[in-house]
Amino acid sequence: MGIWEIDGIRQDRKGRKSEEEFDLLVCARKIKKIGVQIDVEITPLYCMNCNKQLEGFYKHDGSRYGQVGSVQCNHCDEEIRCVDHDNIVEELITYSGNQKLVLDYYKLYKLENEVWNKIKEKTGYDLFQRYSNEEWVPLHNVMDEICTLCNVRLDEIPPYTYNTSDKIKKFPYIANKWFALLHYLEIDI
Ligand SMILES: [Zn+2]
């Protein structure tokens, strides 16, 4: 368990140590709850004490009873305490500067159901049809499949960033790639 900075040196259990190696998982839920569920392991952080985004990106390494761990702000040394819901990571609750900030990854990384519906409308790509057994799929695989459908290479799509938060302005590699693809597909929600 814990949360630590991805710095190109320290490795996680799967041997990953650089930002580009971290993915996130999506799952097409249709039994209990209908919709796309996400499980996120790479996150930016924001300090409510000095009102700045922390320099690097962080690996969410699990929690115990919802306690993830804490990180020190690289600007002002404030402790940023992180809490989750003890299972699948859809959001992270952070405390710093005596304030609470919730990072909702559906909104932050643009993975809401409306986005998936729009993708289906524009490209015909249907996550529910492709992965009908509620299996977890890396977002990178999904992007590759959408690109194949659209006859485009992911690494040829120009970069683009959406303004999904008034605080977080710098996003991890996987989110940047996703934003670029959505923009290329003219998904404007
Ligand atoms: Zn700070």
Side-chain angles (χ1 to χ4, degrees), residues 80-137:
I80 295 148
R81 200 163 62 81
C82 305
V83 173
D84 70 6
H85 300 289
D86 205 21
N87 191 10
I88 291 161
V89 185
E90 297 167 286
E91 64 175 30
L92 187 70
I93 304 135
T94 69
Y95 297 93
S96 56
N98 293 319
Q99 288 177 79
K100 176 181 174 180
L101 175 70
V102 179
L103 299 175
D104 171 352
Y105 298 115
Y106 288 102
K107 190 170 172 286
L108 195 63
Y109 292 167
K110 260 186 141 30
L111 293 156
E112 302 114 312
N113 281 316
E114 307 88 80
V115 173
W116 293 98
N117 291 340
K118 211 60 185 196
I119 291 171
K120 188 180 168 185
E121 208 178 287
K122 294 236 174 182
T123 69
Y125 185 88
D126 186 353
L127 192 73
F128 290 83
Q129 210 174 50
R130 288 196 182 230
Y131 298 98
S132 55
N133 296 317
E134 297 206 340
E135 59 267 63
W136 288 99
V137 197

Side-chain angles (χ1 to χ4, degrees), residues 24 27 29 32 37 48 53 56 59 61 64 102 104 109 124-125 147 175 182 188:
L24 61 89
C27 176
R29 294 278 183 214
K32 270 188 184 162
Q37 192 174 21
M48 298 289 279
Q53 180 176 349
K59 153 87 179 176
D61 224 352
R64 191 164 296 155
V102 179
D104 171 352
Y109 292 167
Y125 185 88
C147 285
L182 294 182
D188 44 14

Side-chain angles (χ1 to χ4, degrees), residues 70-84:
S70 42
V71 161
Q72 208 175 21
C73 173
N74 63 282
H75 306 292
C76 75
D77 291 343
E78 169 79 357
E79 185 184 47
I80 295 148
R81 200 163 62 81
C82 305
V83 173
D84 70 6

Side-chain angles (χ1 to χ4, degrees), residues 158-171:
Y160 187 81
T161 303
Y162 287 97
N163 196 15
T164 59
S165 159
D166 59 350
K167 299 199 164 50
I168 303 295
K169 298 297 171 195
K170 220 177 80 180
F171 293 88

